[in-house]
Amino acid sequence: AVSADWKGSYPGNVLFTPDESKLFVLDGLGKATWYRLPAGEVESQWAAGDGLPAEFGRVLAASADGKRMAYM
């Protein structure tokens, strides 16, 4: 199970890799986190917006393994 605190009131993004082994969460303030499933362990995190509202931040594409992403 994955539990994450959603920061900000703006929409973010949530996506799975095609094999459903990872979950990506981008909250409304630009905090990005990859989780390994099914355990829900954090694989990596970064601040895409560093606390700024990310209302226009979007993941445009991701590779199947989640190693590459196009973020705007």
Side-chain angles (χ1 to χ4, degrees):
V2 172
S3 177
D5 292 329
W6 193 269
K7 303 289 185 196
S9 59
Y10 297 104
N13 290 142
V14 176
L15 61 90
F16 290 88
T17 55
D19 65 2
E20 298 180 0
S21 65
K22 295 180 184 178
L23 169 68
F24 177 76
V25 176
L26 175 65
D27 73 15
L29 291 180
K31 178 183 171 190
T33 308
W34 272 110
Y35 295 92
R36 267 185 248 137
L37 300 177
E41 299 166 342
V42 173
E43 183 173 273
S44 61
Q45 286 183 318
W46 67 93
D50 198 23
L52 300 174
E55 65 180 306
F56 299 112
R58 295 288 176 261
V59 176
L60 303 175
S63 62
D65 61 6
K67 291 184 179 179
R68 291 177 210 87
M69 301 181 81
Y71 172 81
M72 178 174 82

